Amino acid sequence: QVQLVESGGGLVQTGGSLRLSCAASGGTFSSYSMHWFRQAPGKEREFVAVITRSAGNTVYADSVKGRFTCSRDNAKNTVYLQMNSLKPEDTAVYYCAAYNGIISTSSRNIDYWGQGTQVTVSS
């Protein structure tokens, strides 16, 4: 059983930056590809970014490409999401997720979820 705990959310103005962290415990962190999803009020949970097990590859949703950067430190069992040039439409609860596979842009394949952290971007 893998436990995931996100941190780093908060309130920021348009154009600002935030760095989310997700600390994992209870499993072999390096055996999971690590994902970020987000869910805005009244909307479905959507894929944001993924980083493969060895951090060799990253994939981003078109809506965040060029603004968000996903990284991981397997020695610290932690994955990060650096978010720059934030927009009001980025407002959502952001979830860290672990998948015992390569890459999944579908939330249905995810094995473990964090509790989420709120990101609010004011205009």
Side-chain angles (χ1 to χ4, degrees):
Q1 190 79 5
V2 176
Q3 291 80 45
L4 303 172
V5 178
E6 302 97 334
S7 61
L11 174 65
V12 64
Q13 291 184 334
T14 296
S17 298
L18 283 174
R19 188 195 195 201
L20 305 184
S21 299
C22 172
S25 61
T28 305
F29 180 70
S30 59
S31 66
Y32 294 90
S33 61
M34 296 302 298
H35 297 63
W36 290 94
F37 287 80
R38 67 186 182 186
Q39 188 165 19
K43 295 187 177 181
E44 293 187 355
R45 193 168 297 190
E46 65 173 1
F47 167 78
V48 174
V50 58
I51 186 165
T52 53
R53 298 180 182 100
S54 63
N57 287 294
T58 52
V59 177
Y60 299 93
D62 288 343
S63 59
V64 307
K65 201 172 295 182
R67 301 187 296 122
F68 290 12
T69 302
C70 186
S71 60
R72 68 189 292 165
D73 185 337
N74 285 345
K76 294 182 178 180
N77 290 354
T78 302
V79 61
Y80 305 96
L81 186 67
Q82 177 67 43
M83 305 186 296
N84 298 329
S85 302
L86 283 161
K87 305 174 182 180
E89 51 263 46
D90 294 318
T91 295
V93 177
Y94 282 71
Y95 296 91
C96 171
Y99 173 49
N100 189 18
I102 300 176
I103 291 174
S104 175
T105 58
S106 170
S107 61
R108 292 174 292 181
N109 297 328
I110 295 300
D111 296 296
Y112 301 102
W113 292 95
Q115 83 288 351
T117 185
Q118 176 70 47
V119 171
T120 303
V121 184
S122 63
S123 57

